[in-house]
Amino acid sequence: MKRERTMADSSPTSTKPRKTRRKSIENVPPLMSSSSGPLTEELQCSICLDVFTDPVSTPCGHNFCKTCLNKCWDNSQTCNCPYCKETFKIRPDLKINTTLREVVDHYKKKSPEKKTEVLCDFCEERKLKALKSCLVCQSSYCETHLERHLKVAGLKKHKLINPVRNLEDYICQKHERPLELFCRDDQTCVCLFCTEGLHKNHNTVLVEEEIEEKKTQLMKTQKDVQQMIQDRIKKIQDVKHSAEVRKRNTEKEKAARVELFTDLIRSIERCQTELLEMMEEQQKAAEKQEEELIEELEQEITELKMRNTELEQLSHTEDHLHLLQIYSSLCSSRNTRNWSEISVKTDESLRRALTQLQDTLQKKLTLTVSTDLKRMQQYEVDVTLDPDTAHPQLILSDDGKQVRCGDIRQKLPDKPERFDRHVDILGKEGFTSGRFYFEVQVKGKTDWTLGVARESIDRKGEITLRPSNGFWTVALRNGNQYKALSGPSVSLSLRVKPQRVGVFVDYEEGLVSFYDVESSSHIYSFSGQTFNEKLYPYFSSYPNNRGKNSTPLIITPVNHNK
């Protein structure tokens, strides 16, 4: 039976060397088949008798845990194989056997290691489960063998912990004393002797105290992690809910649009049918008129031929008396029509029908666009101008809703986000998903540019406005030239001069649309775009042109009652 070390043996002031208790490799019996099968034996380290951790191979071909083999050689003056005892003149450079490690990892996943109970070191026949382990004695005790530690005065001062198998890990390898303290400066466990050497004047506390603090921190971290998990679960639920709401709204909008355009198509078909019927009636009326005119003309031709014959005969007659009697009647003007002024007239009803069809279609299209615009206005957002992005020549209102170009360049900090050449400015709010809509009053201006821009656009020097550069905009130039700056630009033919422009963006659909709010008419749309970063409302008041373009751009609220 192993003897229990006395208090004198473990005193920090004792100079008596202590032998560290280790298992003897020579006495380890060959591995037997365990309940987990023969494969377990092939994957066990013969030093620690556990499944390999970072297995390494010796030149003689045997495998061990890297840490186990290094410890074995560190405590020996010679390097030999713990299994076959082959001696190596030069300490081998151990490399992890990656193939074996993969097999071990696969085995651990398939057969999770069961926690092995720590047994009493002093039970001779049937070993009982250990109740405590002593760091001073470096032994584990069952309830019976632990009694002396609880009764003997010298043993009561020994450091008892919950039973562990690797007691050597709880002992200072340099001083062979229990690692009872924790050095907060070096974040490592130390013994009492260590505090008189390398860790002198360091901030050291009892291991139990540090463990309690670490547990408290871990509990706080755990709560934080749990809260993060809950936050992300809630975020997933919010995203799913938003997706469901968006899907329902999209289905409703699709149904409404289908109904609207179906009605428009029916109106067009109805007008087309009416127009074709009127054209058919017009054609029949014209043909009838033509037949009547031809018949009347042919009748007059017959009469004129007869008269011509009579005149021919009289011009050669010898009956002078008869000639004188009928001359007046033959030469007098007959009741004939002036055919030079006669033509087949086209019925004005056809022209009126075409005009009516055009007006009907225009009304239907206006109604469609108006309905579409009202739907988009539901996504109104509150846009405020960002002074940090404003060109130094721009003048902003106090509420951040108006901007105009002044004559003087102000002295402002040259921030990375500020435009330095073009008199441009962005909105404060950016958008990375969903739909948004805002309106801008452009009344009284001769030049302006509106739209959206991505966050990473160039803001210094010369800028070309086009989608490939991150700008989706429309513009007015010289008072009457409207363009979509799509690179190359597209000239826009507008029936009326817009006084207020609405800008709508559907991030997921890649759509940017512009509307004339007053006339409820569509101006232009960029479709099929791909957005992968934050979009900001974009405004360019353009130079004031000696006061001709001094009117400000004004961000206005949507009039939902219109």
Side-chain angles (χ1 to χ4, degrees):
M1 180 179 293
K2 300 177 182 176
R3 74 176 182 88
E4 296 179 350
R5 293 180 177 85
T6 65
M7 191 63 189
D9 295 330
S10 59
S11 172
T13 58
S14 173
T15 58
K16 183 179 179 179
R18 177 190 303 163
K19 296 181 180 179
T20 303
R21 175 179 173 272
R22 298 183 181 277
K23 295 179 182 178
S24 174
I25 299 301
E26 298 179 3
N27 297 328
V28 174
L31 292 174
M32 303 298 292
S33 297
S34 64
S35 59
S36 58
L39 181 60
T40 309
E41 301 176 3
E42 305 298 331
L43 302 180
Q44 281 182 330
C45 171
S46 58
I47 298 176
C48 66
L49 303 181
D50 283 334
V51 177
F52 289 121
T53 300
D54 292 335
V56 293
S57 300
T58 59
C60 57
H62 296 111
N63 301 309
F64 306 91
C65 296
K66 184 176 182 180
T67 302
C68 294
L69 188 56
N70 278 328
K71 283 185 178 181
C72 184
W73 286 350
D74 289 343
N75 296 317
S76 175
Q77 294 182 353
T78 59
C79 293
N80 55 18
C81 174
Y83 190 81
C84 68
K85 302 304 179 182
E86 180 177 343
T87 302
F88 312 114
K89 294 182 180 180
I90 300 176
R91 181 167 177 166
D93 183 17
L94 300 175
K95 302 290 185 182
I96 294 177
N97 188 329
T98 55
T99 302
L100 182 56
R101 184 172 62 178
E102 290 176 1
V103 174
V104 170
D105 291 342
H106 179 73
Y107 171 79
K108 287 181 178 180
K109 290 179 181 178
K110 295 294 184 180
S111 304
E113 182 180 1
K114 295 182 180 179
K115 186 175 181 180
T116 306
E117 292 183 345
V118 179
L119 302 179
C120 177
D121 290 325
F122 294 91
C123 290
E124 293 184 349
E125 297 180 359
R126 179 175 174 271
K127 290 186 175 292
L128 300 178
K129 180 180 177 181
L131 188 64
K132 290 289 182 179
S133 294
C134 177
L135 293 181
V136 178
C137 302
Q138 299 186 41
S139 300
S140 298
Y141 302 94
C142 64
E143 185 176 4
T144 302
H145 290 102
L146 184 64
E147 288 183 2
R148 295 194 68 237
H149 273 75
L150 302 177
K151 293 179 179 180
V152 178
L155 297 178
K156 284 183 179 181
K157 296 180 180 180
H158 284 197
K159 183 70 174 179
L160 297 176
I161 62 173
N162 290 330
V164 293
R165 297 184 64 195
N166 52 334
L167 272 169
E168 61 271 17
D169 292 341
Y170 292 79
I171 302 299
C172 177
Q173 296 297 313
K174 182 176 181 181
H175 303 109
E176 297 188 350
R177 292 292 185 271
L179 297 172
E180 300 176 289
L181 303 173
F182 183 81
C183 177
R184 288 179 171 173
D185 293 342
D186 296 332
Q187 291 292 300
T188 185
C189 293
V190 296
C191 71
L192 188 59
F193 281 6
C194 292
T195 61
E196 298 175 358
L198 293 176
H199 298 273
K200 188 176 183 179
N201 298 325
H202 283 193
N203 181 15
T204 56
V205 295
L206 291 174
V207 168
E208 291 82 359
E209 182 180 340
E210 184 67 18
I211 289 174
E212 288 302 317
E213 185 172 332
K214 287 289 192 292
K215 285 183 177 180
T216 302
Q217 294 176 356
L218 286 174
M219 290 178 64
K220 183 179 180 302
T221 303
Q222 184 183 14
K223 288 182 179 179
D224 293 341
V225 171
Q226 289 174 349
Q227 184 61 47
M228 291 170 65
I229 293 172
Q230 294 301 318
D231 292 343
R232 279 149 182 77
I233 291 175
K234 186 177 183 302
K235 185 63 176 178
I236 291 174
Q237 293 173 345
D238 292 342
V239 170
K240 289 182 177 180
H241 177 70
S242 298
E244 291 175 358
V245 172
R246 181 173 60 84
K247 184 178 180 180
R248 288 197 299 267
N249 291 339
T250 300
E251 292 300 325
K252 289 180 181 178
E253 291 171 8
K254 286 169 62 178
R257 283 198 171 194
V258 169
E259 183 179 357
L260 188 62
F261 281 101
T262 300
D263 182 52
L264 179 60
I265 292 172
R266 287 173 180 170
S267 298
I268 294 174
E269 292 175 345
R270 185 168 58 252
C271 292
Q272 183 183 27
T273 301
E274 293 174 358
L275 177 61
L276 292 175
E277 291 175 353
M278 293 179 67
M279 291 178 68
E280 185 69 24
E281 292 175 359
Q282 176 66 28
Q283 177 67 20
K284 291 180 180 179
E287 289 177 354
K288 183 178 180 181
Q289 184 183 8
E290 290 168 355
E291 291 175 357
E292 291 176 350
L293 289 175
I294 291 173
E295 184 179 353
E296 188 175 349
L297 282 168
E298 289 178 344
Q299 184 177 350
E300 287 198 5
I301 289 172
T302 301
E303 293 177 354
L304 289 171
K305 284 182 177 181
M306 292 175 62
R307 184 181 177 192
N308 182 59
T309 301
E310 291 179 2
L311 291 171
E312 177 68 23
Q313 292 175 350
L314 286 175
S315 64
H316 297 91
T317 184
E318 296 295 333
D319 191 352
H320 299 134
L321 182 59
H322 179 67
L323 174 62
L324 293 174
Q325 289 176 343
I326 66 172
Y327 175 80
S328 298
S329 60
L330 287 175
C331 293
S332 63
S333 177
R334 297 292 181 92
N335 185 22
T336 58
R337 299 179 65 177
N338 183 4
W339 291 100
S340 61
E341 299 178 357
I342 303 299
S343 62
V344 179
K345 296 182 179 181
T346 303
D347 197 337
E348 287 295 320
S349 60
L350 182 60
R351 183 184 63 80
R352 289 195 300 270
L354 290 172
T355 303
Q356 182 180 2
L357 176 60
Q358 182 179 357
D359 292 343
T360 301
L361 294 179
Q362 185 61 50
K363 289 178 181 178
K364 288 287 184 181
L365 288 172
T366 301
L367 177 60
T368 302
V369 174
S370 179
T371 303
D372 210 29
L373 180 59
K374 286 184 180 297
R375 180 183 62 84
M376 293 177 179
Q377 287 175 334
Q378 296 175 1
Y379 299 98
E380 178 189 11
V381 292
D382 183 16
V383 176
T384 305
L385 299 169
D386 184 1
D388 290 339
T389 65
H391 183 276
Q393 207 166 328
L394 292 177
I395 301 173
L396 278 63
S397 62
D398 293 339
D399 62 358
K401 297 294 184 180
Q402 301 185 26
V403 59
R404 63 183 178 87
C405 184
D407 297 319
I408 301 174
R409 188 183 181 96
Q410 306 169 77
K411 292 183 179 179
L412 298 174
D414 186 19
K415 297 183 177 181
E417 61 267 32
R418 188 183 304 284
F419 293 95
D420 67 348
R421 184 160 186 174
H422 292 264
V423 286
D424 300 346
I425 187 172
L426 299 179
K428 281 185 178 180
E429 300 79 11
F431 304 88
T432 56
S433 64
R435 301 166 180 171
F436 63 94
Y437 174 88
F438 61 94
E439 292 181 357
V440 183
Q441 181 176 305
V442 296
K443 183 179 180 180
K445 295 192 66 62
T446 60
D447 298 89
W448 52 260
T449 307
L450 295 174
V452 293
R454 67 187 178 208
E455 188 173 23
S456 63
I457 55 171
D458 292 332
R459 310 186 190 198
K460 308 298 182 183
E462 191 63 35
I463 299 172
T464 301
L465 303 183
R466 61 177 59 171
S468 59
N469 291 340
F471 298 88
W472 292 267
T473 59
V474 296
L476 168 64
R477 299 289 182 265
N478 303 319
N480 58 6
Q481 298 175 6
Y482 293 93
K483 298 179 180 180
L485 305 181
S486 54
S489 61
V490 176
S491 296
L492 304 176
S493 179
L494 306 182
R495 294 187 301 109
V496 294
K497 186 181 179 68
Q499 305 298 305
R500 181 181 298 187
V501 176
V503 183
F504 173 76
V505 176
D506 189 326
Y507 195 97
E508 282 74 21
E509 292 294 329
L511 175 68
V512 182
S513 295
F514 299 86
Y515 292 87
D516 180 350
V517 178
E518 301 298 330
S519 64
S520 297
S521 58
H522 176 252
I523 296 176
Y524 188 80
S525 286
F526 295 90
S527 59
Q529 306 298 306
T530 300
F531 303 133
N532 50 25
E533 60 181 273
K534 189 173 289 188
L535 296 180
Y536 289 87
Y538 168 88
F539 311 84
S540 179
S541 181
Y542 224 69
N544 62 21
N545 193 16
R546 297 180 180 179
K548 295 180 181 179
N549 190 41
S550 60
T551 304
L553 290 173
I554 304 174
I555 302 171
T556 58
V558 172
N559 182 7
H560 293 282
N561 297 323
K562 183 179 177 182

